[in-house]
Amino acid sequence: MVKMQDNKINLLAIFGAFCLFLSAVEYLIPKPLPFLRLGLANLPLLLALDFKFSFFIYLVLTKIFAQAILGGMLFSYVFLFSFAGTVASALTMFFLRRAFPKKTLSFIGISIAGAFVSNIMQLLLSYFFILGKSTIYFAPPFLACGIITGAALGVFVNLFCASSLWYKNLWNLNMEDTAGIDDVHDDLLSVENKFLPAHLVKKKDMRDMFPAYDLFVAAIIFTVMLLLNNSTTGLLIQFLIFWSYAALCKKSFKPLFTIMFFLSITLINLYPPNGKVLFEIAGFRITGGALDNAIRKACVIESLVMISKATIKTDLNLPGTFGLIIKKSFFVLEKISLLKKNVRVSHFRTHFIKDIDNLILTITKEQQ
């Protein structure tokens, strides 16, 4: 494989860093429902739809893996859902952007299609791995929310493209081939071994006793052991061990949330009944087979979350060009974090879009 040009790697790092930054910013935007997400982290993906396919795919994978590493979810069901949903959505959007003229299908239609495909993929995974047949009850509102948020994101992208000086300058430089920026971002090239700075790294914990790569290998071993365990009792023991270790690491340890989520997965998977009836509640039969299957599924899902939280560190050094892009994305995120106070989420159109644009321009100029 021909080595990717340094200027393209640096541009990917900027796009990737803004995926991470906008994902965090979204939590600050007032929403009608707490769980409703606009999907701002997908803004860089939509802006990159006119790039070459190789560039676009690198960005998609950077977004997925960088978010998983930063959030400590690389071995959890969250990563699986994110990977499948994002890749399916990205491929759909890229195809539509190429298949239809820009005047025929705007970012709004492309974003809606991408959100719909992503939600369909996540519902399918939910059916097979978490909710089972109960997925059918969650599907309608989930798909409806996806259409709404997809449309909202499309409108936002249209507004951003119409007023963004950075976006206009990007295409004036013919970024399809990234011509004209061969000499930019020199300081980023010196960060081969540099990662997230101290003010962005969470407090030290037990994981700091071990190298990131060793923990990564341990996570693979733990995951294999978990998936090969056919004993319900054994799975419960493994879950308690991983949960205890995550607690010692103080990695987002929220016992009440964990217990509620564990019980929720168990209760949802009690349907349909299977095997001997153990007892009955309000006419609903609790069967041995369904209960055993529900507990096993809850143990596996929660154990994978705990394994990820307790083993994945932000200084994980992935190999090759892809690993370099992720490292540089975290480096750019450091610079963005120093300027984030300049982004105002109030007065959405008048301030927020302009502030985001100014932030990207500032970061880009600093690297020139």
Side-chain angles (χ1 to χ4, degrees):
M1 178 182 292
V2 178
K3 183 179 179 181
M4 182 178 287
Q5 296 177 11
D6 288 334
N7 57 328
K8 291 185 179 180
I9 291 177
N10 294 320
L11 185 60
L12 276 166
I14 291 177
F15 271 81
F18 270 93
C19 284
L20 300 174
F21 174 68
L22 291 174
S23 179
V25 167
E26 183 161 357
Y27 287 100
L28 303 177
I29 299 176
K31 295 176 285 289
L33 296 173
F35 59 84
L36 196 63
R37 298 199 66 186
L38 178 60
L40 276 182
N42 290 322
L43 170 64
L45 298 187
L46 286 163
L47 296 179
L49 284 174
D50 293 319
F51 284 67
K52 290 181 178 179
F53 184 70
S54 59
F55 184 98
F56 181 71
I57 286 300
Y58 263 110
L59 177 58
V60 171
L61 295 178
T62 298
K63 173 183 180 292
I64 296 170
F65 279 87
Q67 284 183 328
I69 292 172
L70 196 61
M73 290 293 177
L74 192 56
F75 284 88
S76 73
Y77 72 96
V78 176
F79 174 76
L80 176 63
F81 277 56
S82 175
F83 185 92
T86 302
V87 170
S89 171
L91 292 177
T92 298
M93 293 191 298
F94 191 86
F95 169 77
L96 292 175
R97 189 65 169 176
R98 292 297 188 274
F100 296 92
K102 296 178 182 179
K103 293 182 179 180
T104 303
L105 187 63
S106 71
F107 280 123
I108 298 175
I110 292 175
S111 179
I112 291 175
F116 185 80
V117 170
S118 175
N119 286 357
I120 287 292
M121 184 60 67
Q122 293 185 57
L123 286 171
L124 288 174
L125 290 175
S126 178
Y127 175 82
F128 288 109
F129 295 105
I130 299 181
L131 301 178
K133 293 183 178 181
S134 300
T135 302
I136 192 173
Y137 301 111
F138 296 90
F142 189 60
L143 292 174
C145 286
I147 293 174
I148 295 172
T149 57
L153 178 60
V155 171
F156 178 81
V157 174
N158 281 342
L159 292 173
F160 182 85
C161 291
S163 59
S164 170
L165 294 176
W166 173 80
Y167 186 72
K168 292 175 182 177
N169 292 337
L170 188 71
W171 293 106
N172 287 336
L173 287 173
N174 187 20
M175 298 311 296
E176 177 70 22
D177 297 313
T178 56
I181 58 169
D182 291 333
D183 299 323
V184 305
H185 311 305
D186 290 336
D187 61 324
L188 284 177
L189 300 179
S190 64
V191 297
E192 295 290 335
N193 297 312
K194 183 174 181 179
F195 237 81
L196 216 56
H199 70 279
L200 289 181
V201 178
K202 293 186 178 181
K203 294 181 179 180
K204 290 187 176 182
D205 52 52
M206 282 188 61
R207 296 176 304 157
D208 295 312
M209 298 171 57
F210 310 98
Y213 182 77
D214 291 351
L215 285 175
F216 179 78
V217 173
I220 295 176
I221 296 173
F222 292 153
T223 300
V224 172
M225 292 172 58
L226 181 73
L227 297 179
L228 292 180
N229 192 341
N230 294 317
S231 167
T232 302
T233 302
L235 286 172
L236 276 169
I237 293 174
Q238 283 184 309
F239 164 66
L240 292 174
I241 291 174
F242 296 140
W243 190 18
S244 299
Y245 180 60
L248 290 173
C249 291
K250 301 178 181 179
K251 183 65 179 177
S252 302
F253 184 64
K254 300 177 181 179
L256 182 59
F257 176 81
T258 300
I259 293 171
M260 293 300 295
F261 190 69
F262 188 97
L263 291 176
S264 297
I265 297 173
T266 303
L267 291 174
I268 289 172
N269 284 279
L270 289 176
Y271 178 84
N274 175 31
K276 181 180 178 181
V277 177
L278 300 178
F279 53 92
E280 188 172 321
I281 300 178
F284 182 78
R285 296 178 179 178
I286 307 298
T287 58
L291 181 60
D292 184 72
N293 178 66
I295 292 176
R296 289 164 58 84
K297 187 173 291 188
C299 284
V300 171
I301 292 172
E302 281 289 82
S303 293
L304 289 173
V305 172
M306 297 305 160
I307 290 173
S308 294
K309 285 180 176 293
T311 57
I312 302 303
K313 298 170 62 179
T314 53
D315 59 344
L316 177 62
N317 189 11
L318 297 178
T321 300
F322 182 58
L324 179 59
I325 293 171
I326 290 181
K327 284 200 291 185
K328 290 184 176 183
S329 294
F330 281 118
F331 180 70
V332 175
L333 182 62
E334 170 194 354
K335 294 195 172 186
I336 294 175
S337 71
L338 299 176
L339 301 171
K340 64 182 179 181
K341 62 180 180 296
N342 297 327
V343 177
R344 296 162 291 179
V345 297
S346 60
H347 303 289
F348 183 76
R349 183 171 181 177
T350 56
H351 288 166
F352 184 62
I353 293 179
K354 183 178 180 181
D355 291 345
I356 290 292
D357 188 44
N358 288 336
L359 183 58
I360 302 178
L361 284 170
T362 301
I363 292 296
T364 304
K365 289 178 180 178
E366 283 186 1
Q367 310 310 323
Q368 291 181 341

